[in-house]
C-alpha cells in the first residue's frame, strides 16, 4: 500500500489520465493534431489456451503526444531513439485499450471493460467487437477488474447510469477497492487526482446487491483463473492467470504500458505508475515468470491483437504478437 508521501507525490502525474468532468484523457483535450490512429478490422482475435477460448476485444486506440513526462526516469532523446529503432513514431504514442473475453464451457468472463461512452471517437468499441465475435452484454456472467483507472472500469456503466453487463457479477481486487473508496485518501489527494476518485464512485455506487464482489489476491476467481497481486501501477493492481489442459495465459493488464518502451526497458516508469519502484520490481518478476512458463500473454495496452508471447531482448523483453 502506498504511504501518504508516495501517494501525494505520485498523484497528479499518475491519475490525471481521466479528467473529472468528462473522463476524457486530459492530454487529449489540447493535443496537437497527429492524425487519427487506424483501428484493426476485425477488432477481435481468437486464441485457444487448452480447452478454453481467449478473445481479444479492441476497445480502441488513443494517440497522445510524446513528451518528457511520459517516461518519468529516462531522457526523451533516449525514448525517441528506442521508438525509432522499432520503426515507430517519435512524435506521438498510440495507446491501445484491449479487454479480453474468456469462453470456458458455459462461462463468459470479461477481463476489464474499456472506456465505454467516456472516451474519444477512436475508443468505446468494446460492445461492437463483442457483437462481431458473436456475443452480447447479457451473455457475460462475470467481469474481472484489474484496477480502477478509468480505461478499465468506465465500460461498466453508461452515461445514463445503467449497468452495461447487468447479469454479471463484478469481481474487484479488495485492496484496490479499499484504496479508491477511502474518503480520507480522496480528501488528501491532489486536486488533479480527485476526478479519478469521483469516477470510481460514479462507477461502483449503487450496484445491485450481490453484483460487486471484492476478492483477495491469490484466490481463484473463476474455475481455472487465479488472481495475482501486482501492486505498483495502482495500490491493488491485479493480474489473472488462466490454466487449462496444461497451458497458461496471463492477462497482465497494465503491468506495462507500451511494450515497445516498458517491456524493452522494464525499469522505465510510465507516468501513470503510482508507485514506480514497486511497479518496476513486479514488472521484471512477472515477465520472467511468463517467459519461464512459456505462457501466452495478453496486455491491455499491447498492439493489437494484444495476444502473443514474451521473449528476452537485451536488458528486457520483446512482445511477439500472435499471427
Amino acid at each position: 500500500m502506498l504511504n501518504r508521501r508516495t501517494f501525494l507525490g505520485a498523484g497528479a502525474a499518475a491519475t490525471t489520465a481521466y479528467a473529472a468532468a468528462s473522463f476524457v484523457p486530459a492530454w487529449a483535450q489540447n493535443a496537437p493534431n497527429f492524425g487519427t490512429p487506424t483501428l484493426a478490422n476485425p477488432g477481435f482475435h481468437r486464441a485457444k489456451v487448452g480447452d478454453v477460448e481467449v478473445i481479444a476485444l479492441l476497445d480502441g486506440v488513443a494517440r497522445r503526444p510524446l513528451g518528457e513526462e511520459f517516461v518519468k526516469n529516462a531522457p526523451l532523446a533516449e525514448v525517441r531513439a528506442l521508438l525509432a529503432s522499432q520503426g515507430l513514431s517519435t512524435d506521438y504514442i498510440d495507446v491501445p485499450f484491449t479487454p479480453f473475453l474468456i469462453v470456458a464451457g458455459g462461462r463468459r468472463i470479461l477481463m476489464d471493460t474499456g472506456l465505454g461512452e467516456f472516451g474519444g471517437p477512436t475508443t468505446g468499441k468494446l460492445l461492437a467487437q463483442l457483437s462481431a465475435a458473436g456475443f452480447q452484454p447479457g451473455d457475460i456472467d462475470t467481469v474481472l477488474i484489474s484496477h480502477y483507472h478509468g480505461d478499465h472500469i468506465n465500460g461498466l456503466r453508461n452515461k445514463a447510469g445503467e449497468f452495461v453487463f447487468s447479469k454479471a457479477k463484478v469481481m474487484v481486487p479488495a485492496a484496490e477497492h479499499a484504496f479508491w473508496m477511502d474518503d480520507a485518501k480522496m480528501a488528501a489527494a491532489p486536486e488533479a487526482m480527485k476526478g479519478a476518485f469521483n469516477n470510481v464512485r460514479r462507477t461502483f455506487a449503487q450496484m445491485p446487491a450481490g453484483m460487486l464482489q471484492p476478492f483477495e489476491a491469490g484466490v481463484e476467481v473463476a474455475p481455472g483463473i487465479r488472481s495475482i497481486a501486482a501492486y505498483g501501477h495502482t495500490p491493488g493492481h491485479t493480474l489473472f492467470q488462466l490454466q487449462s489442459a496444461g497451458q497458461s495465459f496471463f492477462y497482465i493488464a497494465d503491468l506495462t504500458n507500451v511494450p515497445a518502451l516498458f517491456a524493452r526497458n522494464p525499469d522505465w516508469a510510465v507516468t501513470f505508475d503510482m508507485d514506480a519502484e514497486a511497479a518496476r520490481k513486479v514488472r521484471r518478476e512477472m515477465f520472467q515468470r511468463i517467459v519461464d512458463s512459456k505462457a501466452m500473454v495478453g496486455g491491455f495496452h499491447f498492439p493489437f491483437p494484444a495476444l502473443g508471447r514474451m521473449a528476452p531482448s537485451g536488458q528486457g523483453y520483446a512482445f511477439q504478437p500472435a499471427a
Side-chain angles (χ1 to χ4, degrees):
M1 189 63 67
L2 297 178
N3 60 40
R4 175 180 167 84
R5 186 175 68 176
T6 303
F7 161 67
L8 291 176
T15 49
T16 51
Y18 298 91
S22 64
F23 312 112
V24 174
W27 46 261
Q29 296 173 9
N30 298 295
N33 183 6
F34 288 118
T36 302
T38 301
L39 303 186
N41 186 20
F44 66 92
H45 184 91
R46 302 178 188 270
K48 290 288 287 186
V49 178
D51 298 324
V52 175
E53 187 174 42
V54 178
I55 307 176
L57 300 163
L58 181 64
D59 186 57
V61 180
R63 180 164 290 178
R64 60 167 293 150
L66 176 62
E68 297 276 359
E69 83 294 337
F70 191 67
V71 183
K72 294 193 291 187
N73 60 339
L76 183 57
E78 194 172 330
V79 174
R80 284 177 167 157
L82 181 57
L83 290 171
S85 72
Q86 298 171 77
L88 299 172
S89 172
T90 60
D91 294 322
Y92 60 80
I93 294 288
D94 279 345
V95 182
F97 309 99
T98 306
F100 289 82
L101 178 66
I102 307 299
V103 181
R107 299 294 303 274
R108 307 289 185 267
I109 301 166
L110 183 64
M111 296 176 169
D112 286 332
T113 67
L115 283 154
E117 297 179 347
F118 301 96
T122 56
T123 68
K125 314 299 183 186
L126 172 62
L127 296 185
Q129 310 297 7
L130 193 66
S131 177
F135 302 93
Q136 298 302 317
D139 298 331
I140 307 302
D141 59 77
T142 305
V143 177
L144 301 178
I145 296 296
S146 64
H147 66 293
Y148 278 13
H149 281 166
D151 49 337
H152 296 258
I153 65 172
N154 282 357
L156 281 170
R157 207 166 180 176
N158 61 24
K159 288 183 177 180
E162 300 162 336
F163 294 101
V164 175
F165 306 101
S166 59
K167 297 180 181 179
K169 59 183 177 181
V170 179
M171 302 188 69
V172 302
E176 186 78 355
H177 190 75
F179 177 85
W180 290 103
M181 296 301 288
D182 187 316
D183 290 339
K185 287 185 171 62
M186 180 173 175
E191 195 60 35
M193 198 173 175
K194 292 190 190 298
F197 279 93
N198 285 325
N199 190 37
V200 168
R201 284 157 171 74
R202 177 198 67 83
T203 303
F204 293 102
Q206 302 174 338
M207 274 194 168
M211 177 178 275
L212 183 68
Q213 298 189 15
F215 61 84
E216 299 297 331
V219 303
E220 190 174 61
V221 292
I225 303 177
R226 186 165 296 276
S227 64
I228 303 170
Y231 305 162
H233 178 64
T234 64
H237 182 249
T238 296
L239 317 183
F240 299 101
Q241 181 183 11
L242 163 69
Q243 293 182 296
S244 175
Q247 297 182 17
S248 286
F249 165 75
F250 286 87
Y251 171 56
I252 63 170
D254 284 13
L255 182 73
T256 180
N257 201 279
V258 180
L261 295 175
F262 303 103
R264 294 295 183 99
N265 281 291
D267 295 324
W268 282 4
V270 71
T271 187
F272 309 117
D273 285 344
M274 294 177 68
D275 184 336
E277 186 54 41
R280 284 194 291 270
K281 184 174 184 293
V282 75
R283 189 177 300 125
R284 280 201 173 275
E285 289 173 354
M286 284 305 308
F287 276 144
Q288 193 57 52
R289 178 174 169 181
I290 290 164
V291 168
D292 290 346
S293 65
K294 298 180 172 59
M296 183 174 287
V297 65
F300 189 76
H301 295 300
F302 280 29
F304 198 76
L307 279 165
R309 308 278 177 179
M310 302 303 300
S313 177
Q315 298 301 307
Y317 303 88
F319 174 57
Q320 300 175 333

